Amino acid sequence: MYQQAARLGMTLFGIAASTFSAVAQPAPDTIGAIRARGQLSCGVSINAVGFALPDARGNYSGLDVDTCRAVAAAVLGDATKVKFVPTTSQVRFTALQSGEVDMLARNTTWTLGREVQLGLAFASVNFYDGQGFMVKQSLGVKSAKQLDGATVCVQPGTTTELNLADYFRANKMRMTPVVIEQPEEIRQAFISGRCDAYTNDASSLASFRTSQGKEGEQFVLLPEIISKEPLGAVVRKGDWRWFDVVRWSHFAMVTAEELGITSRNIDGFMGSGNPDVQRLLGKSGDFGRAMGLDNDWAVRIIRQVGNSEESWERNITPMGVPRGINNLWTKGGLQYAPPIR
């Protein structure tokens, strides 16, 4: 009886100790770490035209780059204080989980599995995408339904590989995957004719075609979109204040577009009596301080990066990609910002 009581006591003590240990753990402070080093570390794609591409001097531009810079403007007051870390599809999640980067903005699809199995949280969607197929004009194919028996270049370890198998199985077609890990190698394989088709997110296919200049005219994007691929910013779970900052940095750009505020005309809105404008620009409410920022956090984003339309026009429009479902909800698209109030 005594031994049973002793064992029960030790068990309860162990539970209490582990509970105390869990409660006593300090919450992560990603914002504090970023401010201490004076720089945001952001994982991006490797040489993705329109999304993340360095020039000859190493200066990055692209839609995902603007996502990172908006957060830096909010947290550090300077959109240029970003270290861009090129990451492959195989190492991107490890880089985020290990703390090598503070966030990802690199054409990464929001899925249930990634949130519940990897300990990550998707804070925003800056590009609503879908998986497509690209072929050469010389193949004479007009539809993905004509690819029965084709060889298809695909990257391993991605939702793309799974979607490809599902699509051919659902349509009772056969295909042979040509699985290549590195983006440049897979594109060269497609150009050289090792595969009949190349499948990826439609945005990535358009980015690749644009990067080929005049030669890109020989490539055709087929009309079928076979999946939903919401792409956006990703952070580690647990630091929810940091999550809020990343999420609302995106919503600030969308809200600015909704209100007609741009990097060029923002000064004309500073004295506006519109309550929505006042809250966005920090003239009323204390929303910035509630996130651990100051109240003109959104002003810095708009001045230094612009609104969501400016970012799209600067980075995606030159690729010839229509905005479509990435437009504001008021224009038939899916971009919709919850109210700042």
Side-chain angles (χ1 to χ4, degrees):
M1 185 70 177
Y2 172 79
Q3 290 177 337
Q4 289 178 336
R7 283 197 295 270
L8 177 60
M10 289 301 294
T11 300
L12 292 174
F13 175 79
I15 293 172
S18 63
T19 301
F20 175 79
S21 175
V23 171
Q25 293 294 327
D29 183 11
T30 308
I31 295 173
I34 292 169
R35 285 175 173 161
R37 84 172 81 98
Q39 191 178 52
L40 167 69
S41 181
C42 195
V44 295
S45 298
I46 299 174
N47 297 340
V49 175
F51 292 88
L53 184 70
D55 62 17
R57 296 184 177 182
N59 298 314
Y60 276 80
S61 63
L63 193 74
D64 288 337
V65 168
D66 283 354
T67 296
C68 303
R69 287 189 169 140
V71 176
V75 174
L76 297 171
D78 188 341
T80 67
K81 291 185 176 180
V82 184
K83 176 185 178 183
F84 294 103
V85 181
T87 58
T88 66
S89 59
Q90 284 71 38
V91 306
R92 55 185 163 172
F93 298 126
T94 303
L96 181 57
Q97 291 167 327
S98 68
E100 180 185 351
V101 297
D102 303 308
M103 60 182 285
L104 288 178
R106 51 104 47 235
N107 301 83
T108 298
T109 301
W110 185 354
T111 70
L112 172 64
R114 288 170 175 176
E115 284 209 327
V116 302
Q117 295 171 350
L118 301 182
L120 306 177
F122 284 75
S124 64
V125 176
N126 67 354
F127 196 102
Y128 288 94
D129 207 351
Q131 185 173 331
F133 294 91
M134 178 178 283
V135 297
K136 292 180 180 178
Q137 284 186 356
S138 58
L139 193 65
V141 170
K142 304 298 183 183
S143 166
K145 298 290 179 63
Q146 297 175 270
L147 292 176
D148 190 16
T151 53
V152 184
C153 280
V154 64
Q155 212 171 357
T158 63
T159 56
T160 308
E161 188 178 21
L162 298 173
N163 294 336
L164 174 66
D166 286 349
Y167 179 77
F168 274 79
R169 188 180 303 114
N171 286 281
K172 297 180 171 57
M173 299 192 304
R174 296 174 299 104
M175 63 89 189
T176 301
V178 179
V179 181
I180 303 173
E181 183 171 325
Q182 297 301 323
E184 282 305 315
E185 291 181 16
I186 198 169
R187 291 165 179 172
Q188 287 304 314
F190 172 63
I191 292 172
S192 67
R194 282 183 59 191
C195 46
D196 301 309
Y198 172 26
T199 187
N200 207 332
D201 292 347
S203 62
S204 293
L205 296 176
S207 174
F208 161 64
R209 185 172 63 179
T210 300
S211 72
Q212 298 302 299
K214 192 72 174 175
E215 291 297 314
E217 294 178 5
Q218 67 178 303
F219 304 131
V220 178
L221 277 167
L222 299 180
E224 288 85 0
I225 298 295
I226 68 171
S227 70
K228 295 184 292 184
E229 307 293 334
L231 312 178
V234 196
V235 298
R236 294 178 292 276
K237 284 183 177 177
D239 188 348
W240 297 111
R241 175 169 283 188
W242 171 235
F243 173 88
D244 287 343
V245 168
V246 176
R247 164 170 280 185
W248 284 93
S249 292
H250 168 71
F251 285 148
M253 296 177 69
V254 175
T255 302
E257 181 183 355
E258 290 177 345
L259 295 171
I261 305 173
T262 72
S263 59
R264 297 179 297 275
N265 68 15
I266 186 171
D267 288 337
F269 283 85
M270 298 306 287
S272 172
N274 182 326
D276 291 328
V277 173
Q278 289 181 342
R279 287 189 288 264
L280 174 64
L281 303 184
K283 301 300 182 181
S284 66
D286 233 4
F287 303 108
R289 290 191 179 90
M291 292 191 293
L293 309 174
D294 49 31
N295 286 334
D296 64 351
W297 60 282
V299 172
R300 293 194 297 271
I301 292 173
I302 299 164
R303 283 193 195 281
Q304 298 179 36
V305 184
N307 67 25
S308 49
E309 181 180 35
E310 290 179 277
S311 182
W312 183 278
E313 292 294 326
R314 184 165 58 239
N315 299 301
I316 306 301
T317 297
M319 295 165 53
V321 176
R323 195 166 177 191
I325 60 173
N326 285 287
N327 224 319
L328 292 181
W329 64 284
T330 53
K331 299 178 180 178
L334 297 176
Q335 286 294 354
Y336 181 103
I340 298 177
R341 64 168 182 261

